[in-house]
Amino acid sequence: MWRNPSAEVTRSRCGVASESATVRTAGGAPVGTVATMVATPGERTSDFGVMLFNAFVVAIVFSVVCAIGWAQVGSFTFAVAAFSVLAAMFAVMTVHISQQWERVVVQRFGRFSRVAGPGLFFTIPFIEQTPIRIDCRTRFTTFGAEETLTADLVPLDVDAVMLWMVYDAKAACNEVSDFSATVELTAQAALRDAIGRLTAAEVAIRREQLDADIQRVLEDEASEWGISVLSVKIRNILLPQALQDAMSLEAQAEQRRKARIILMEAEQDIAAMAEGVGEAYGGGDAALRLRQMHLMYESVRETGGTVVVPSSFSEGFVEDADAARIARTVGR
């Protein structure tokens, strides 16, 4: 089962988040997922204005009906009070307001009637009901796949985030029971399917294609529920530690191979250049001697010390032994 590593805001308009955890048996086998509602920081909407409007309607209707009853009866009786309370209840059940981002589904005798809002709208008491208020703003949902096998049988832990919104409140209310949970589970299944079609290296390299594939699958399914998937982004890909070590060794070996190839290519270029210089001095043997002298010069120049070489190697710098003796004599 998948365990969501972070809280997500999907099931509440007021910023309440849900965090999923895996439940296991005594033997360690997973048996299900439990969602725990936790509070998350951030900007939250408030229904205080709606409640204040309802209280205002109750107060106004109650006061008006009491005033009319007092004027008709001449005193404030129990019948006047009861009738005022009843009128206030009817007023609250008739007059409603919804926030700018809300759409309210209105049903009449249990059948869909219309989608109301935003702003002021009216319903018929006891005949029309408002079973759900749907937040049509952009939401985010975090989901993931734990120990999902790739095409080359490598278990991966992948976390992703999805941005989505409800554009059709009627379909979201009537076509699916819990559209937030359905979108989350569908996204998780789409992520697992997409990972199963790729190798571990392709999952790590082709993130953008993986995002596009998951978004396309979700759009095809969620459009039937009145939901639009705006984007899907892979946040983290966790490889097994053993595989990370193996890939690190492979990368190091590849870099060493490239370094050696570059070094040999440079050596070939130097040999070709030395041969050309040697031919300019009169023969192929001279090229080797020039290269030896260059190597000797470079070693002495870099270290700043003295290099002692065998006599046979030093004789390679001159034509014959007599010339070598002459050189040593001159050196003295």
Side-chain angles (χ1 to χ4, degrees):
M1 300 295 293
W2 165 68
R3 178 179 55 81
N4 190 354
S6 61
E8 60 161 334
V9 180
T10 54
R11 303 177 186 273
S12 175
R13 296 178 294 104
C14 297
V16 178
S18 64
E19 182 175 1
S20 301
T22 302
V23 178
R24 299 180 180 273
T25 61
V31 296
T33 302
V34 174
T36 303
M37 306 304 293
V38 296
T40 57
E43 298 179 358
R44 303 177 183 178
T45 61
S46 174
D47 291 334
F48 179 75
V50 177
M51 294 184 293
L52 185 62
F53 174 79
N54 293 334
F56 176 76
V57 170
V58 170
I60 291 297
V61 173
F62 183 82
S63 301
V64 170
V65 174
C66 283
I68 295 175
W70 190 298
Q72 293 293 330
V73 178
S75 62
F76 186 76
T77 62
F78 176 79
V80 172
F83 190 77
S84 300
V85 171
L86 187 62
M89 292 177 57
F90 270 87
V92 171
M93 297 172 62
T94 302
V95 184
H96 311 274
I97 61 170
S98 64
Q99 307 284 8
Q100 177 65 35
W101 54 86
E102 288 182 334
R103 300 297 182 269
V104 182
V105 176
V106 180
Q107 292 183 343
R108 180 175 297 175
F109 293 116
R111 297 176 62 89
F112 175 81
S113 175
R114 65 188 183 277
V115 175
L120 183 67
F121 64 96
F122 301 91
T123 59
I124 303 175
F126 303 107
I127 297 178
E128 293 182 340
Q129 302 82 32
T130 56
I132 185 172
R133 290 174 176 256
I134 297 179
D135 192 332
C136 294
R137 293 174 297 178
T138 301
R139 314 184 188 194
F140 75 89
T141 298
T142 57
F143 61 98
E146 184 176 345
E147 296 182 357
T148 302
L149 293 179
T150 61
D152 51 353
L153 302 181
V154 176
L156 297 181
D157 293 346
V158 181
D159 296 330
V161 63
M162 173 179 58
L163 298 179
W164 58 281
M165 63 176 297
V166 178
Y167 69 89
D168 188 353
K170 176 183 177 181
C173 177
N174 297 326
E175 300 298 332
V176 62
S177 60
D178 188 347
F179 58 86
S180 296
T182 304
V183 169
E184 177 184 345
L185 295 177
T186 304
Q188 180 185 350
L191 177 60
R192 289 182 177 273
D193 293 340
I195 293 175
R197 292 192 298 267
L198 301 175
T199 63
E202 291 175 341
V203 172
I205 296 174
R206 300 163 58 181
R207 287 196 179 191
E208 294 183 357
Q209 180 179 352
L210 188 61
D211 296 341
D213 293 342
I214 297 174
Q215 182 176 354
R216 183 173 60 256
V217 172
L218 292 176
E219 285 179 349
D220 294 340
E221 297 190 15
S223 60
E224 301 178 358
W225 313 323
I227 294 173
S228 175
V229 178
L230 303 179
S231 67
V232 177
K233 296 295 182 182
I234 301 297
R235 296 195 304 171
N236 186 30
I237 299 176
L238 181 60
L239 298 173
Q241 187 61 40
L243 181 60
Q244 294 183 30
D245 297 339
M247 294 177 67
S248 177
L249 293 176
E250 181 181 358
Q252 294 177 21
E254 180 66 18
Q255 293 300 323
R256 293 194 188 98
R257 184 183 70 84
K258 291 181 180 180
R260 291 177 181 177
I261 291 175
I262 294 174
L263 180 61
M264 295 304 297
E265 291 177 351
E267 191 67 25
Q268 290 177 354
D269 295 339
I270 293 173
M273 294 174 63
E275 183 177 359
V277 174
E279 290 178 356
Y281 281 99
D285 294 338
L288 178 60
R289 289 194 293 272
L290 284 174
R291 181 57 178 157
Q292 291 174 346
M293 285 187 286
H294 287 165
L295 291 174
M296 180 69 68
Y297 169 74
E298 291 175 1
S299 63
V300 173
R301 180 177 62 84
E302 293 177 357
T303 59
T306 303
V307 178
V308 179
V309 297
S311 59
S312 60
F313 183 79
S314 63
E315 291 174 358
F317 292 105
V318 295
E319 293 291 339
D320 51 20
D322 294 336
R325 286 194 296 271
I326 293 173
R328 289 196 294 269
T329 303
V330 173
R332 295 190 186 93

